[in-house]
């Protein structure tokens, strides 16, 4: 979602809402403390016995809005599969019709039923994917259909009904203050939980812009968890109606093109296209917008149109021949993969 101006930097509106933000912070902290105490009690009762079931890795947000979680998950899946581990994914299926009954996502699923990002993953990877608003129910549903070694939870950091083994938090560093804006909790700011929650996080990743040649962790993270950087880079475009037909982004230079994005921070997509030298006419939609053919009736059909991968899965049925998809590639810090794999291999389920 796009942030209101007063989330970016403190002003009278954020200060006016600060009492409500303090209440949200207290409630969020108490919820996490209850979860933490229950986890400690469960670990104590288990004693030296090996954990059962798959390792659960949560990839989540501390703030509202997009941060680059799904491209990161697309990077994680082949990394974990390369180690010989069976991987599954659970998600809410944002803006989907799925409520409290787990539903498996297949490449032919309806995006209105399962959500755009889970469908995008299902069309890219041969792994079991289950969506449900209740993450614990999604996990149970996944394990009922296929045995896996590692389950990646797309978001779900604040869903404390879901037991987890590792937590990874992603920030969009292109937003003000390295992704936390004014640093206040909802509704005065973008934080879902206070920054103190990061002290128990295993890894923090900053999705920084390509223009950030040198990037250092922000002051508010000093003394916190392991911190790494990555960047999202646009790859060659492919035709939505003919995915085998590809074209370099530079081929679009010198002609006006539409740029369509229904995501949490569409300006980032537009900036990447502009940085690539394209003359774009940006059209931003709400995050997870349910695209229909009527959304494009006012577009000049002779102009090429570029869109994101997650928007493309909702436009396949009515795509025109000059609509192109811009997939992203993750440029990850070299040492993160080694650190994550080391943390996983320290778990008793993976000790050889």
């Amino acid at each position: 979602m796009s942030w209101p101006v007063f989330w970016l930097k403190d002003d009278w509106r954020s200060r006016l809402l600060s009492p409500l933000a303090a209440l949200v912070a207290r409630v969020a902290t108490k919820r996490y403390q209850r979860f933490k105490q229950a986890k400690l009690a469960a670990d104590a009762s288990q004693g030296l016995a090996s954990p059962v079931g798959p390792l659960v890795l949560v990839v989540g947000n501390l703030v509202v809005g997009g941060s680059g979680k799904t491209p990161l998950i697309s990077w994680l899946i082949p990394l974990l599969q390369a180690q010989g581990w069976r991987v599954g994914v659970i998600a809410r299926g944002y803006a989907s019709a799925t409520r409290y009954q787990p539903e498996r996502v297949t490449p032919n699923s309806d995006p209105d039923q399962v959500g755009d990002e889970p469908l995008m993953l299902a069309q890219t990877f041969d792994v079991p994917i289950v969506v449900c608003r209740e993450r614990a129910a999604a996990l149970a549903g996944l394990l009922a259909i296929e045995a896996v070694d590692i389950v990646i939870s797309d978001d779900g950091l604040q869903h404390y009904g879901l037991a987890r083994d590792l937590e990874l938090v992603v920030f969009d560093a292109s937003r003000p203050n390295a992704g936390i804006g004014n640093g206040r909790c909802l509704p005065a700011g973008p934080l879902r939980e206070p920054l103190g929650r990061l002290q128990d996080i295993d890894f923090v990743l900053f999705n920084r812009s390509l223009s950030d040649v040198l990037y250092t962790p922000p002051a508010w993270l000093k003394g916190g968890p392991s911190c790494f950087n990555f960047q999202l880079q646009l790859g060659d475009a492919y035709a939505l109606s003919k995915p085998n037909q590809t074209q370099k982004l530079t081929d679009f230079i010198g002609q006006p093109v539409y740029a369509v994005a229904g995501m949490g921070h569409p300006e980032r997509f537009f900036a990447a296209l502009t940085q690539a030298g394209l003359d774009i006419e940006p059209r931003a939609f709400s995050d997870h917008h349910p695209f229909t053919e009527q959304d494009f009736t006012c577009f000049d059909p002779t102009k090429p149109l570029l869109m994101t991968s997650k928007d493309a899965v909702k436009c396949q049925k009515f795509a025109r021949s000059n609509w192109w998809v811009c997939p992203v590639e993750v440029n990850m810090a070299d040492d993160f993969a080694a650190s994550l794999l080391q943390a996983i291999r320290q778990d008793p389920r993976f000790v050889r």
Side-chain angles (χ1 to χ4, degrees):
M1 63 173 291
S2 296
W3 289 1
V5 173
F6 64 89
W7 281 9
L8 305 177
K9 187 178 181 180
D10 256 345
D11 68 10
W12 65 270
R13 289 165 291 186
S14 56
R15 291 190 290 272
L16 181 65
L17 293 169
S18 61
L20 286 176
L23 177 61
V24 168
R26 285 197 298 271
V27 171
T29 299
K30 287 181 179 179
R31 287 185 66 246
Y32 174 62
Q33 290 300 328
R34 286 196 297 268
F35 166 79
K36 189 175 179 180
Q37 290 168 5
K39 186 176 187 301
L40 290 173
D43 291 344
S45 64
Q46 179 177 298
L48 298 177
S50 297
V52 295
L55 181 144
V56 176
L57 168 62
V58 171
V59 180
N61 272 351
L62 205 68
V63 301
V64 298
S67 61
K69 296 187 306 298
T70 303
L72 179 61
I73 291 171
S74 296
W75 179 87
L76 285 169
I77 291 172
L79 171 71
L80 300 176
Q81 288 178 319
Q83 316 309 311
W85 298 328
R86 298 167 296 176
V87 180
V89 177
I90 59 174
R92 174 187 175 183
Y94 190 89
S96 72
T98 303
R99 297 296 182 182
Y100 300 103
Q101 291 299 318
E103 180 168 345
R104 184 168 189 172
V105 184
T106 72
N108 297 317
S109 291
D110 183 346
D112 293 335
Q113 185 69 25
V114 301
D116 48 19
E117 290 167 337
L119 178 57
M120 184 185 73
L121 291 172
Q123 292 182 350
T124 307
F125 301 103
D126 183 19
V127 298
I129 302 173
V130 172
V131 295
C132 185
R133 174 172 289 189
E134 296 291 340
R135 295 305 198 285
L139 176 60
L142 188 150
L143 297 181
I145 60 176
E146 192 165 335
V148 296
D149 302 306
I150 297 177
V151 173
I152 302 173
S153 177
D154 186 350
D155 211 352
L157 184 67
Q158 289 78 29
H159 287 250
Y160 291 124
L162 175 68
R164 71 285 304 267
D165 301 285
L166 293 172
E167 294 178 322
L168 191 159
V169 168
V170 187
F171 288 99
D172 182 350
S174 70
R175 292 189 187 268
N177 202 8
I180 67 168
N182 62 18
R184 294 181 184 268
C185 281
L186 294 165
L191 294 181
R192 296 173 174 178
E193 298 182 275
L195 287 175
R197 174 71 173 86
L198 294 176
Q199 297 304 314
D200 291 333
I201 296 296
D202 297 286
F203 300 100
V204 172
L205 271 73
F206 288 95
N207 177 8
R208 59 192 182 90
S209 64
L210 292 173
S211 59
D212 290 338
V213 179
L214 296 175
Y215 188 82
T216 57
W220 50 262
L221 193 64
K222 287 184 177 178
S226 300
C227 168
F228 301 91
N229 302 318
F230 72 99
Q231 295 170 302
L232 299 179
Q233 190 160 3
L234 296 178
D236 291 345
Y238 66 87
L240 181 52
S241 59
K242 296 179 180 179
N244 292 330
Q245 181 181 347
T246 62
Q247 193 164 321
K248 294 186 179 299
L249 283 181
T250 52
D251 293 338
F252 294 96
I253 294 176
Q255 60 179 316
V257 297
Y258 290 115
V260 170
M263 55 194 299
H265 193 191
E267 295 80 9
R268 182 159 194 154
F269 177 59
F270 302 149
L273 292 174
T274 300
Q275 189 173 354
L278 276 63
D279 177 18
I280 66 169
E281 184 176 332
R283 298 292 179 91
F285 291 79
S286 60
D287 197 11
H288 303 284
H289 178 75
F291 285 100
T292 66
E293 193 168 5
Q294 285 66 41
D295 289 318
F296 303 94
T297 55
C298 62
F299 286 50
D300 181 349
T302 66
K303 284 185 183 180
L305 183 150
L306 303 177
M307 63 175 58
T308 69
S309 297
K310 83 168 189 176
D311 293 327
V313 301
K314 294 172 288 189
C315 300
Q316 291 169 332
K317 294 180 180 179
F318 48 86
R320 298 171 185 166
S321 59
N322 60 347
W323 289 10
W324 299 83
V325 185
C326 299
V328 294
E329 301 169 355
V330 174
N331 182 12
M332 179 61 68
D334 295 336
D335 48 352
F336 172 65
S339 297
L340 176 63
L341 296 177
Q342 181 182 16
I344 293 173
R345 292 191 175 108
Q346 289 175 347
D347 186 279
R349 286 164 286 196
F350 296 88
V351 173
R352 296 179 180 177

